[in-house]
Every structure is written in structure tokens, then in C-alpha cells.
Amino acid sequence: MKKRKRIISLVMTATLGISILTGCSKGDESGKAIEPKSKDSIVYALTSSPTGIFNPLLNDTTYDDAVIDLTYNSLLSFDKNLNPKPELAKSYEISDDNLSITFKLKDNIKWSDGKTLTTNDVAFTFTSLADKGYTGSKYGYVEKLKGAKDYHEGSVDKIEGIEVIDKNTIKFTFAEPYSPGLTNLGSIGIIPKHIWGEVPIAQWKDKKDLLTKPVGTGPYEVVSFTEGQDVQLKRNDNYFDGDVKTEKFILKVTNEDTATGELLNGTVDVIDASNLKNKDIKELESEGMDVTSYDSNLVQYMGFNLRDKKFQDKNLRQAFMYALDRNAMVDKLLEGNGQVVDTPMLPSSWSYPDKSTLNNYKYNKDKAKELLKQAGYEDRDNNGIVEDKDGKELVVKLTYPTGNKLREQTAPIIQANLKDIGVKMELENMEFTALMDKVVANHDFELYLMGNNLSLDPDPKPYWHSTSASDEKGNSAWNISSFKNEKADKLIEQGISVSDQKQRKEIYSQFGKLLNDEVPWAYLYSQNIRKAYNPHLKDFKPYTFNDFDNVKDWYID
């Protein structure tokens, strides 16, 4: 099933640490886990509500991703070693010149409404990404297809590089070698033409009835969606890939303070335990719960709005980096369950630069103050706040989302760190969906906290190429900070034009070093994922990039 991009944020000091488990009702006295309330349903806790954009071409949060992973399929999925394996496609073939990929679909795949999936649906899915009315963020997945740019600009009425050979065979041809091609084409959820083809693409995001009751091919289908509460799903009786062992699946929006209590009481079966203290994890295990841990594909950061003139000075951005005690965040907040990152790439990825070649921005208040001075800011009146040459104090606003305890307590930690170097920070928090509208869609911010969910292929174009930025209000784009750098653009283009992984690694190492120096974000850390679950839930096997790979096999014993 397709994978994700997107969002979370972080941080609190040890002195703010609380025992999340205090007051929770627990399992039985023998230390065995309590039996779940029902064997006919699996209840999976989410810390924030999905937004209701249940379309794999339009979604932009991990919470909507969870619904999409349960209801849609892609041509391929990827195992824990990132090797491709069949999903809707039973096979694929790459041409000798690396320009074409031909997929053959499995036979007799049905949509959840009973209609048959064909390669016309596949062609429609990828053609839609290039439509000039498309409002999502995934055009980059297809723009290298032959004729895609002409179609996007409206000069032709079809994409030359998408060829339906028969109802089960489709061929994609790129205009030039494109190394992320298999991953990008293989990982996008396929949508039904007979549903979405009836609606102008520019109007898709307005069709709440279609978005919240998706017709897909996945193991489950949505019964109801109540924002802020839950998504109720039932088994898809038309599912093509074997029996779905559990009749119902519920994605329940659960406050982080109460999630552990619900797990212990048997009212939820899985929670995200990434933010729990180690002692709380041990307490859960002593009550009979199981915990699994794996690498995250998420990098936590604070973004600068580079449309703002003051943040266009690299000295100021680097000063902020030196002012943040990121090692203390990992040691005290995460208790070692993660690592500091110094560039916007996954430390576990083959593409990550040699750490010895990166500036580690070790916590240094004096260095930070020196860089502030170079940027034109000094405490000229000795009031503890630095001013520019005109006497204007450096006051900045950090916007951050609510709904996650670590996320909410990140902001005051950063505020305190910056106060130590004479920067006054104001805090602004809001619901996650409101933040997405304010920051991502309307670019109305100075600084913001988020987490970047990186994709299977390390291609950074969706987040860092100049063409991935938008300065138009109402137009969302994933180069949120509006970082525009000619050298970065060239490296990105080089990285997707070569197939040899060693060559790509060298190119991405150069890219990583460049962004390590430019710091369009203040990079924080990558936190390991921990899931706590009731041991009565069987065959639960999540891994990096895929929480729901074998979800059809999950059951309550």
C-alpha cells in the first residue's frame, strides 16, 4: 500500500515529564493483558483526527493516510528492506534503456462497489496528476513522463508516455532516465475512473461525499467518518488478495493522555507510544502489553518562512541552529529513542551524507550571538532583547499544532533557548487542520513546527526544488519555507536522472551538505516509532514506511 509524506512536531524538558499512566485502569492482577472488548473489530488509536481527504492523489496528512492505506491499493508495495513486491500488479518489466516500465495487473480485481478495475483506471489516475486542474502535491510523480508537461500545460489532450496496451497491461515511458520512476509509479494509490472521472478535477476537493466514502480496492471500506471522533470501516467483501480476517476496523481519535488507559482497559488495541517515557513503556509491558519499535521516516524541524526578508539572512538561521540544544532534546525528552539530524534527510537512508562532513551545530550560545551580530542584531540597550540597527527588537512568532503532548511542549523549549541569545519568541498554537490552512496553504507564518514524512525514494524534489514552492495564497505546496536555490535545483535534477545508486549517493551527499549549510529549516531530530498493542492482536507487523502492510491478516484471538 502506498506511503506517506507529512506531519508532526515535538519537545519537552525532563522537568515537565509526567507519568502518562498515572490513574489508568490496568489489566488483570496477574499482569496479563485484558481481553479486547470485541473480537470482531480492531480499534487503532490516532492522536489527531483525519481531515476527510480520503483520496490518495489529494491527501496531505498521515491521519488521512491511515484511511487510505486501509481502503486503496497501489501497483506495488515495498517490504521492510524497500524491495518492491506485487500488489495490484502481478509483475513489472523495465526496458533496457531504463525509459519504460510495463505493469501487468492481477486478474479480476474488483472495486469495493463491485465494478472491475482495469488499466483504464490506472491510466486515469496518473493522467489526473498532470491535469492543469489538479490541486494536489503529486504532479512531480509524473512530470518526467513523455508528454506530461505538454498535457499539464494544455497543449495536448493525452500523455504520450501512458499507453494502455490491454485491460491488464499498461506501459509508462519517460522522456529521460528517471531513477525514482518505479517507486513513484508503484506507490501511488489507484482511484476509480467511473467515480472520479465524473467530476472536474479542479472540483475534487469540494466533493466531501466522494472523499469521505471512498470506493477503493483495499481490505476495508469506510462506513462512516466523524471528524474528531473516528472512522468506522468494514471488511471489503470484494477484496482481491485473500480473506480479510477481521470484520470491522475503527480508527479512533484518542487524546494522548488517555490512550494508554484505553489500551489497558481494552477499548483500543494499538496506540502510538513513541512519546512515552521509558518507565511508562516498562509499565505497559508489566501490564502484559507488547511494544514494537522501528525506524521512523519522519524528520522533526522548525521551518523558516524565507519569504520574510529577515530570514533570508543565513547568519540569522544558523544562529537559531546554534541556539537550540538539540542533544538535550534527544537525551532528556526522547531518552535516547532517536537521533539529532543535521540535514533534511533520513539518517537511516543510504543517501544520508557521511556525518563527519556535516556541521553538527553543537549547542553554542556564544556562536549564536556572534552570528546574530553578523546579521545586524545586538542588544544595544541592554534589555536582554537584540535589536537591529534601527533599534527594532527581534521578535518572532512560532506557530505550532496541538494534539500531541511532545509537539505542544516543543515550542516553549525553543522559546527558552532563543531567549538565552536575546531573541523574543511569541507562541501561537492551533488545531492541526487550521495550521495546515494557515501555514501550508496560505504561507501566513514566520516560523512553524512540523515533521516531514519522507518517501520511499530519497528524491527531495517534492520538498526542496524551486518549482515545489508556492508564494500564492490558497495554493498549497510542500516546499513550505519557499527555499529557492539554483545549486540545489541542479543537484535534485541530477539525482533523479541517474540510476546507479553510488552516483545518486554522491549527488545527494552534496545536496545534504548544501542544505546543512543553508539551514532553510532548523533541523531537530528523528524519533524512533514505538507502537504499544494488546497481545491478543495477532500478526501485527508494522515497519518503516508501512504501518498497515499485512492488515488483512490482523485478528483478535
Side-chain angles (χ1 to χ4, degrees), residues 196-214:
W196 290 101
E198 299 298 312
V199 181
I201 293 175
Q203 298 176 20
W204 280 6
K205 276 199 172 181
D206 300 324
K207 298 299 178 181
K208 299 300 183 184
D209 54 333
L210 298 183
L211 289 169
T212 58
K213 286 290 185 69

mmCIF file of all heavy atoms in Angstrom, residues 196-214:
data_model
loop_
_atom_site.group_PDB
_atom_site.id
_atom_site.type_symbol
_atom_site.label_atom_id
_atom_site.label_comp_id
_atom_site.label_asym_id
_atom_site.label_seq_id
_atom_site.Cartn_x
_atom_site.Cartn_y
_atom_site.Cartn_z
ATOM 1 N N TRP A 196 -14.416 9.117 -10.074
ATOM 2 C CA TRP A 196 -13.788 10.434 -10.111
ATOM 3 C C TRP A 196 -13.777 11.046 -11.512
ATOM 4 O O TRP A 196 -13.636 12.271 -11.645
ATOM 5 C CB TRP A 196 -12.374 10.349 -9.551
ATOM 6 C CG TRP A 196 -12.386 10.097 -8.084
ATOM 7 C CD1 TRP A 196 -12.185 8.911 -7.436
ATOM 8 C CD2 TRP A 196 -12.663 11.053 -7.059
ATOM 9 N NE1 TRP A 196 -12.305 9.069 -6.077
ATOM 10 C CE2 TRP A 196 -12.604 10.371 -5.817
ATOM 11 C CE3 TRP A 196 -12.956 12.413 -7.063
ATOM 12 C CZ2 TRP A 196 -12.835 11.015 -4.602
ATOM 13 C CZ3 TRP A 196 -13.185 13.063 -5.860
ATOM 14 C CH2 TRP A 196 -13.120 12.360 -4.648
ATOM 15 N N GLY A 197 -13.943 10.226 -12.540
ATOM 16 C CA GLY A 197 -13.991 10.761 -13.899
ATOM 17 C C GLY A 197 -15.248 11.558 -14.183
ATOM 18 O O GLY A 197 -15.324 12.277 -15.192
ATOM 19 N N GLU A 198 -16.236 11.459 -13.298
ATOM 20 C CA GLU A 198 -17.483 12.195 -13.469
ATOM 21 C C GLU A 198 -17.405 13.617 -12.907
ATOM 22 O O GLU A 198 -18.352 14.392 -13.055
ATOM 23 C CB GLU A 198 -18.622 11.437 -12.764
ATOM 24 C CG GLU A 198 -18.876 10.040 -13.297
ATOM 25 C CD GLU A 198 -19.303 10.065 -14.758
ATOM 26 O OE1 GLU A 198 -20.195 10.869 -15.093
ATOM 27 O OE2 GLU A 198 -18.719 9.288 -15.547
ATOM 28 N N VAL A 199 -16.287 13.949 -12.264
ATOM 29 C CA VAL A 199 -16.153 15.242 -11.592
ATOM 30 C C VAL A 199 -14.941 15.987 -12.167
ATOM 31 O O VAL A 199 -13.860 15.401 -12.281
ATOM 32 C CB VAL A 199 -15.955 15.051 -10.069
ATOM 33 C CG1 VAL A 199 -15.849 16.408 -9.375
ATOM 34 C CG2 VAL A 199 -17.079 14.220 -9.483
ATOM 35 N N PRO A 200 -15.075 17.261 -12.541
ATOM 36 C CA PRO A 200 -13.899 18.029 -12.966
ATOM 37 C C PRO A 200 -12.823 17.988 -11.881
ATOM 38 O O PRO A 200 -13.117 18.175 -10.699
ATOM 39 C CB PRO A 200 -14.455 19.446 -13.166
ATOM 40 C CG PRO A 200 -15.909 19.244 -13.443
ATOM 41 C CD PRO A 200 -16.321 18.060 -12.619
ATOM 42 N N ILE A 201 -11.594 17.747 -12.278
ATOM 43 C CA ILE A 201 -10.517 17.534 -11.309
ATOM 44 C C ILE A 201 -10.344 18.732 -10.386
ATOM 45 O O ILE A 201 -10.074 18.571 -9.191
ATOM 46 C CB ILE A 201 -9.208 17.192 -12.051
ATOM 47 C CG1 ILE A 201 -9.349 15.824 -12.728
ATOM 48 C CG2 ILE A 201 -8.014 17.195 -11.104
ATOM 49 C CD1 ILE A 201 -8.172 15.425 -13.586
ATOM 50 N N ALA A 202 -10.536 19.916 -10.890
ATOM 51 C CA ALA A 202 -10.381 21.117 -10.056
ATOM 52 C C ALA A 202 -11.405 21.167 -8.927
ATOM 53 O O ALA A 202 -11.223 21.893 -7.943
ATOM 54 C CB ALA A 202 -10.497 22.368 -10.920
ATOM 55 N N GLN A 203 -12.473 20.370 -9.030
ATOM 56 C CA GLN A 203 -13.520 20.371 -8.009
ATOM 57 C C GLN A 203 -13.428 19.191 -7.044
ATOM 58 O O GLN A 203 -14.272 19.044 -6.155
ATOM 59 C CB GLN A 203 -14.901 20.359 -8.688
ATOM 60 C CG GLN A 203 -15.175 21.565 -9.559
ATOM 61 C CD GLN A 203 -16.502 21.471 -10.290
ATOM 62 O OE1 GLN A 203 -17.398 20.711 -9.910
ATOM 63 N NE2 GLN A 203 -16.625 22.237 -11.380
ATOM 64 N N TRP A 204 -12.432 18.352 -7.202
ATOM 65 C CA TRP A 204 -12.352 17.137 -6.391
ATOM 66 C C TRP A 204 -12.375 17.419 -4.897
ATOM 67 O O TRP A 204 -13.059 16.733 -4.145
ATOM 68 C CB TRP A 204 -11.090 16.355 -6.751
ATOM 69 C CG TRP A 204 -11.214 15.530 -7.998
ATOM 70 C CD1 TRP A 204 -12.266 15.500 -8.870
ATOM 71 C CD2 TRP A 204 -10.249 14.625 -8.515
ATOM 72 N NE1 TRP A 204 -12.016 14.633 -9.894
ATOM 73 C CE2 TRP A 204 -10.777 14.075 -9.708
ATOM 74 C CE3 TRP A 204 -8.985 14.230 -8.102
ATOM 75 C CZ2 TRP A 204 -10.083 13.141 -10.473
ATOM 76 C CZ3 TRP A 204 -8.288 13.306 -8.861
ATOM 77 C CH2 TRP A 204 -8.832 12.765 -10.044
ATOM 78 N N LYS A 205 -11.623 18.391 -4.462
ATOM 79 C CA LYS A 205 -11.531 18.644 -3.016
ATOM 80 C C LYS A 205 -12.841 19.144 -2.413
ATOM 81 O O LYS A 205 -12.994 19.157 -1.192
ATOM 82 C CB LYS A 205 -10.401 19.636 -2.706
ATOM 83 C CG LYS A 205 -9.038 18.970 -2.592
ATOM 84 C CD LYS A 205 -8.044 19.831 -1.852
ATOM 85 C CE LYS A 205 -6.750 19.053 -1.575
ATOM 86 N NZ LYS A 205 -5.760 19.865 -0.824
ATOM 87 N N ASP A 206 -13.779 19.533 -3.256
ATOM 88 C CA ASP A 206 -15.070 20.002 -2.764
ATOM 89 C C ASP A 206 -16.086 18.873 -2.620
ATOM 90 O O ASP A 206 -17.161 19.080 -2.047
ATOM 91 C CB ASP A 206 -15.646 21.066 -3.718
ATOM 92 C CG ASP A 206 -14.739 22.279 -3.851
ATOM 93 O OD1 ASP A 206 -14.111 22.647 -2.839
ATOM 94 O OD2 ASP A 206 -14.660 22.846 -4.950
ATOM 95 N N LYS A 207 -15.772 17.698 -3.137
ATOM 96 C CA LYS A 207 -16.732 16.594 -3.159
ATOM 97 C C LYS A 207 -16.614 15.749 -1.888
ATOM 98 O O LYS A 207 -16.073 14.640 -1.895
ATOM 99 C CB LYS A 207 -16.521 15.744 -4.415
ATOM 100 C CG LYS A 207 -16.758 16.504 -5.715
ATOM 101 C CD LYS A 207 -18.196 17.016 -5.798
ATOM 102 C CE LYS A 207 -18.447 17.811 -7.056
ATOM 103 N NZ LYS A 207 -19.838 18.317 -7.117
ATOM 104 N N LYS A 208 -17.117 16.305 -0.786
ATOM 105 C CA LYS A 208 -16.981 15.651 0.514
ATOM 106 C C LYS A 208 -17.638 14.281 0.537
ATOM 107 O O LYS A 208 -17.164 13.365 1.222
ATOM 108 C CB LYS A 208 -17.567 16.541 1.610
ATOM 109 C CG LYS A 208 -16.892 17.902 1.743
ATOM 110 C CD LYS A 208 -15.414 17.772 2.077
ATOM 111 C CE LYS A 208 -14.769 19.137 2.290
ATOM 112 N NZ LYS A 208 -13.305 19.040 2.523
ATOM 113 N N ASP A 209 -18.736 14.124 -0.200
ATOM 114 C CA ASP A 209 -19.420 12.833 -0.193
ATOM 115 C C ASP A 209 -18.557 11.748 -0.811
ATOM 116 O O ASP A 209 -18.532 10.606 -0.340
ATOM 117 C CB ASP A 209 -20.760 12.928 -0.926
ATOM 118 C CG ASP A 209 -20.632 13.490 -2.337
ATOM 119 O OD1 ASP A 209 -19.680 14.250 -2.590
ATOM 120 O OD2 ASP A 209 -21.503 13.182 -3.174
ATOM 121 N N LEU A 210 -17.818 12.085 -1.865
ATOM 122 C CA LEU A 210 -16.928 11.117 -2.504
ATOM 123 C C LEU A 210 -15.656 10.909 -1.683
ATOM 124 O O LEU A 210 -15.145 9.790 -1.577
ATOM 125 C CB LEU A 210 -16.555 11.577 -3.916
ATOM 126 C CG LEU A 210 -17.695 11.722 -4.921
ATOM 127 C CD1 LEU A 210 -17.148 12.116 -6.277
ATOM 128 C CD2 LEU A 210 -18.504 10.441 -5.023
ATOM 129 N N LEU A 211 -15.152 11.988 -1.104
ATOM 130 C CA LEU A 211 -13.905 11.903 -0.347
ATOM 131 C C LEU A 211 -14.059 11.068 0.914
ATOM 132 O O LEU A 211 -13.165 10.304 1.281
ATOM 133 C CB LEU A 211 -13.420 13.304 0.021
ATOM 134 C CG LEU A 211 -12.887 14.162 -1.136
ATOM 135 C CD1 LEU A 211 -12.704 15.604 -0.684
ATOM 136 C CD2 LEU A 211 -11.566 13.607 -1.665
ATOM 137 N N THR A 212 -15.185 11.206 1.592
ATOM 138 C CA THR A 212 -15.357 10.531 2.880
ATOM 139 C C THR A 212 -15.988 9.146 2.754
ATOM 140 O O THR A 212 -16.069 8.426 3.751
ATOM 141 C CB THR A 212 -16.198 11.388 3.842
ATOM 142 O OG1 THR A 212 -17.473 11.654 3.245
ATOM 143 C CG2 THR A 212 -15.495 12.701 4.146
ATOM 144 N N LYS A 213 -16.441 8.776 1.565
ATOM 145 C CA LYS A 213 -16.955 7.419 1.319
ATOM 146 C C LYS A 213 -16.228 6.845 0.097
ATOM 147 O O LYS A 213 -16.835 6.603 -0.957
ATOM 148 C CB LYS A 213 -18.461 7.454 1.079
ATOM 149 C CG LYS A 213 -19.310 7.682 2.328
ATOM 150 C CD LYS A 213 -19.285 6.462 3.250
ATOM 151 C CE LYS A 213 -20.245 6.648 4.430
ATOM 152 N NZ LYS A 213 -21.658 6.633 4.030
ATOM 153 N N PRO A 214 -14.910 6.640 0.230
ATOM 154 C CA PRO A 214 -14.127 6.258 -0.947
ATOM 155 C C PRO A 214 -14.475 4.871 -1.470
ATOM 156 O O PRO A 214 -14.771 3.955 -0.705
ATOM 157 C CB PRO A 214 -12.684 6.291 -0.420
ATOM 158 C CG PRO A 214 -12.808 6.050 1.049
ATOM 159 C CD PRO A 214 -14.086 6.723 1.452
#
